[in-house]
Amino acid sequence: MTDQPLILWCSQEGRALARKILGDNPYVPHDYQIDGVVHTLDREHLVAVTPTGSGKSGYHAMPIRILLAIANDPYIISPYSYHVPKHPKALLIYPTNALEEQQAKNLNEFGIPAIAINSDILHTEHIAGHDLWKHARSDEVVALCLSPEQLVSKEFEQLLNDKDFVNSICLWGVDEIHFIESWGSMFRKAFLEIGHIHSRLGTSPPLVATTATLPSGEPMDFVLRFLNLRRGGFYFLHRSNARYDIQYIFRELQHSLTVYNFPQLYWVLESNRKTLIFCQTISLSFRLFAYFWHCPISATRDRNLFVCTIL
């Protein structure tokens, strides 16, 4: 009796099987998503540079979904064999609390039990008498969404010292990897701890690193260096950021930017669309925000309008 053949996910059969397991719930995966997913399942590190709104989070969620399906029903890949821990886990790192909480919510909706851990959630759960780190070790949690600051906590250190937990990690991911260079070298040193995880986990669990933009040259070299990645040692998936569906409309203001009333921008409120306004100074941002706040239709209160300052 011969052993079952080991499936090669990058093969035609592997890609078809990945699509079959994912199905069409909640959406049919794109070809470029499957391309990244199968390389991850073949335990290759993945660096995906793909536009915002193109499904970057799928590079984290889809492999986990497939691994979880195999763990729950190994016969799903018959006649092939593919080792998956009984309770597979994933470590996912996001740059902001809001993003990691949203991604944890999205993963749960995608059928992947996930929790987010950051200082705000830890404080709330501590008051409620809950040990979130203990819960992260349980079989009930598959994906752990973390902020970079948690990587230097003693609780995370204890987590990496738990051999059973580490052996169950099948994937770890970092979103918005371009921040490693810009934020990590300036005001959020915790970003530089991300590279140490690779050293602690070894080469077994594949890394899935995603971003919408990563300039070539020194910025990319910096990021790859801190992720302990060498050119040729990972699968690079790069899609154009050109957005041909975006239309530029120029409207010239008929008044100075030093005023406190901006009636020519009232159409932004009437459009009732999510809008992001960039300003060159904090003063202008404040005056714009104050104007919109006191308008009869106040999208700022409904979180449809955001005013930002470019520093």
Side-chain angles (χ1 to χ4, degrees), residues 8 23 89 119 122 180 185 225 278:
L8 181 65
K89 290 186 177 292
S119 57
L122 284 172
I180 293 177
S185 60
R225 187 163 59 247
F278 293 99

Side-chain angles (χ1 to χ4, degrees), residues 274-278 300 303-308:
K274 287 188 178 295
T275 306
L276 183 62
I277 299 179
F278 293 99
T300 54
R303 296 191 176 185
N304 285 330
L305 174 64
F306 300 87
V307 181
C308 304

Side-chain angles (χ1 to χ4, degrees), residues 73-84:
D73 182 13
Y75 293 101
I76 198 172
I77 61 170
S78 179
Y80 303 101
S81 65
Y82 186 76
H83 175 70
V84 177

Side-chain angles (χ1 to χ4, degrees), residues 90-93 117 122 133-134 136-137 144-162 165-166 169 172-173 190 193-198 200-201:
L91 287 178
L92 304 175
I93 304 166
I117 296 185
L122 284 172
W133 289 104
K134 181 179 180 180
R137 285 184 169 87
L144 183 58
C145 303
L146 299 169
S147 63
E149 283 70 22
Q150 295 306 314
L151 305 181
V152 296
S153 67
K154 63 178 182 180
E155 291 82 4
F156 183 73
E157 175 71 18
Q158 293 170 354
L159 202 64
L160 292 186
N161 288 333
D162 185 333
F165 181 87
V166 171
I169 298 177
W172 72 287
E193 295 295 324
I194 294 174
H196 297 161
I197 298 181
H198 205 159
R200 294 292 302 271
L201 295 179

Side-chain angles (χ1 to χ4, degrees), residues 10 15 30-42 44-46 48 58-59 63 208 235 237:
C10 284
R15 293 171 185 267
H30 297 289
D31 290 340
Y32 59 81
Q33 288 178 310
I34 290 294
D35 189 33
V37 168
V38 294
H39 280 276
T40 299
L41 292 173
D42 280 336
E44 292 183 69
H45 301 308
L46 170 68
Y59 294 115
V208 178
Y235 183 69
L237 192 154

Side-chain angles (χ1 to χ4, degrees), residues 121-275:
I121 295 177
L122 284 172
H123 178 70
T124 301
E125 293 297 316
H126 177 72
I127 293 177
H130 300 154
D131 187 341
L132 207 55
W133 289 104
K134 181 179 180 180
H135 182 49
R137 285 184 169 87
S138 70
D139 298 338
E140 300 173 7
V141 176
V142 174
L144 183 58
C145 303
L146 299 169
S147 63
E149 283 70 22
Q150 295 306 314
L151 305 181
V152 296
S153 67
K154 63 178 182 180
E155 291 82 4
F156 183 73
E157 175 71 18
Q158 293 170 354
L159 202 64
L160 292 186
N161 288 333
D162 185 333
K163 292 184 178 180
D164 291 335
F165 181 87
V166 171
N167 290 336
S168 67
I169 298 177
C170 296
L171 176 154
W172 72 287
V174 184
D175 192 21
E176 310 296 358
I177 56 174
H178 61 283
F179 283 141
I180 293 177
E181 192 230 359
S182 57
W183 289 11
S185 60
M186 296 175 62
F187 64 97
R188 288 188 71 181
K189 300 296 184 180
F191 267 83
L192 303 184
E193 295 295 324
I194 294 174
H196 297 161
I197 298 181
H198 205 159
S199 301
R200 294 292 302 271
L201 295 179
T203 58
S204 179
L207 163 65
V208 178
T210 57
T211 182
T213 175
L214 184 60
S216 58
E218 182 56 31
M220 177 177 286
D221 292 339
F222 186 98
V223 170
L224 295 179
R225 187 163 59 247
F226 272 93
L227 291 176
N228 288 332
L229 294 176
R230 296 182 178 180
R231 294 186 183 275
F234 59 91
Y235 183 69
F236 186 50
L237 192 154
H238 190 190
R239 301 184 67 243
S240 173
N241 277 292
R243 300 295 293 270
Y244 299 104
D245 57 336
I246 293 179
Q247 182 180 12
Y248 292 94
I249 301 176
F250 296 91
R251 300 190 182 190
E252 185 175 348
L253 293 177
Q254 301 300 317
H255 55 72
S256 169
L257 291 178
T258 61
V259 299
Y260 283 81
N261 292 312
F262 302 87
Q264 284 187 273
L265 295 180
Y266 194 77
W267 64 270
V268 173
L269 302 182
E270 294 179 318
S271 67
N272 197 29
R273 296 178 179 177
K274 287 188 178 295
T275 306

